[in-house]
Amino acid sequence: MTGAPRPYQSYVYAYPHKTAYRPLPHPAPSLADLWADQPKDALSLYAHIPFCEVRCGFCNLFTRIGAPGELTTRYLDALDRQATAVRGALGDAGPVRFATAAFGGGTPTFLTAPELERLCDISERRMGVDLRSVPLSVETSPATATADRLAVLAERGATRLSIGVQSFVEAEARAAVRPQRREDVEAALGRIRDVGVPVLNIDLIYGIDGQTEESWLRSLDAALAWRPEELYLYPLYVRPLTGLGRLSPADADREWDRLRLRLYRRGRDHLLASGYEQVSMRMFRRADAPPLSADDYACQTDGMIGLGCGARSYTSSLHYSFDYAVDMREIRSLIDAYTETGPEGFRRAQVGRWVDAGEARRRHLLQSLLQAEGMDVRGYEDRFGTSPVADFPAELRRFEALGWLDEEAPAGLLRLSAEGLAHSDGIGPELFSPAVRAAMAAYEPK
C-alpha cells in the first residue's frame, strides 16, 4: 500500500460488507443453534421496510417504488411470521432483552398509520421489545411524514425521527434525482417538531452536481433553522445500477474528491461553530441535545436481530441476512419471495459470512476507530488478549505517517485526527481483510 488512499471509497457502517456475504451451505444453520450460546440481554432490533414513494438517483438501498395491491399487507404478514420464528429461536433459557430498536428502509413511513401500528405491535408482541422504554429511531421522508403517521410513532415511543432532505436547494434536489419542493420539506419538518419526538435528525448530501460552497451553506443554514438535535452530512456516491449510475461515469474523478473534501470541511467547521459536536465523519449532535443512545448496547460486541427481507443479523460468529439486490426487477422478485416464505424458512440463516477471531478484531477496530471518540485500547486488549498495534502494525503505522492518528490523544486511546476523520471512507476499506476484499471483488451486482 503506497500513497494515500482515495478519501471516498466506501461508507463503512458494518463489517464484513454485505457484498462479502454468500449463500450458506445446506443444511443452512438454524437460528436456534446460532443464538444458543450468545448473550441476549442487550440486543438491537432492526426492522426493514423496503418501500419508497420515489427512488432517489443516488440510492443503492434495498427498496422498491410503490407497493401494488396488498403488498404491504403481505409484507407485514411475512414480517409477523419471521418475528414469531426468530423469537422462538432465541429461546427462554436466559434473559432476552432488547436495548435499542430502529425502523429503516426504504421509508418506514411509506406504511399507513394503521400499518405502522401493526409494525409496532409485531416488535412488541412478537419480539418482546418495550418500545416506550428503549431508544427507537425511525426514518421518514418529506412526502410521507404526515401528521397521522407521526402521531402513531410518537405515541408508540419513537425517540428519534430521521428525515432525508439531502438539499434545501430545489435545483440540487433535482440533480440528485430527488424532486421535492422546499415548502413541502419545511412543512414536514414542522409536523415532526409538532409531535414532540425528542430527537430530529436531518440528512444532507454534499458533492451534488452544480453544488457550490455557497449553496451548501444555504442548505446547512436552512437545516440549522430547525435546531435539529442531529445532522448527518453524507458525501454523494455514484453506485452501479442506481439512477445516477446509469447517467454518469463511475466516481473516479480526483477533482470530485477534492470538491467533496472541501465541502465536507466547510460543513464540519460551520456546524462546530454553530454549537454542534462531531460524533463521526457523518454525524454531528447539538451540544445540548438530550442523550439518546442506549448506554448498555455496544455495536462492537452485542448482537443484532434484523427483521425484513433486507435486514442483517449479527451473532459473534455469523453475520446473516437474505439475498440482496440493487436492480429494481431483482428487488421486486426478492420481496415477493420474502412474502411467500413460511415459518420454517425463517428459522434458518440463508445468506451470510462467518466471522473468525481475526475478522472480529477488524470489526472492533473499524467500528471504534471511525467514531470521533476513538477506541479504548484496554477494552480491545481485555476482549482479545492482544493489542491493536500488534494486530495491525502496518495499517496503523501508515495512518500515523499520513497524519490521520491523533498524536495528542490521552494515553490508552487510539483516535483519529480531524483529518483522519475526514478520510474515514478511505480508512475503513483499508482495514478490510484480504479474504473480505476478494469476496467483495468477486460479487456480481444485481
Side-chain angles (χ1 to χ4, degrees), residues 229-302:
E229 284 71 25
E230 294 178 2
L231 277 160
Y232 269 72
L233 309 185
Y234 287 95
L236 179 65
Y237 279 97
V238 175
R239 295 303 194 197
L241 303 183
T242 63
L244 288 178
R246 296 186 179 94
L247 300 174
S248 307
D251 57 338
D253 187 346
R254 299 277 177 173
E255 182 56 38
W256 193 30
D257 284 350
R258 287 190 283 270
L259 171 64
R260 285 180 288 180
L261 273 174
R262 189 163 66 248
L263 293 173
Y264 160 79
R265 292 176 181 131
R266 190 70 184 271
R268 174 199 63 195
D269 294 347
H270 192 61
L271 293 185
L272 294 178
S274 301
Y276 285 73
E277 298 173 343
Q278 187 165 18
V279 179
S280 68
M281 171 188 166
R282 287 165 169 73
M283 181 182 178
F284 295 80
R285 278 203 113 227
R286 214 177 68 208
D288 62 346
L292 177 64
S293 60
D295 56 11
D296 58 348
Y297 178 80
C299 63
Q300 296 92 335
T301 56
D302 291 317

Side-chain angles (χ1 to χ4, degrees), residues 152-212:
V152 167
L153 295 173
E155 194 278 327
R156 296 303 292 262
T159 54
R160 178 181 183 268
L161 290 173
S162 178
I163 183 169
V165 172
Q166 320 316 349
S167 177
F168 284 85
V169 179
E170 291 185 12
E172 292 177 4
R174 288 194 299 271
V177 195
R178 174 62 183 265
Q180 61 190 17
R181 296 189 305 167
R182 168 80 178 266
E183 62 188 88
D184 294 335
V185 172
E186 301 280 359
L189 289 166
R191 291 191 294 272
I192 291 173
R193 280 307 196 198
D194 286 345
V195 298
V197 170
V199 173
L200 163 66
N201 172 71
I202 298 176
D203 289 345
L204 297 175
I205 286 181
Y206 57 92
I208 299 171
D209 186 34
Q211 191 175 49
T212 64

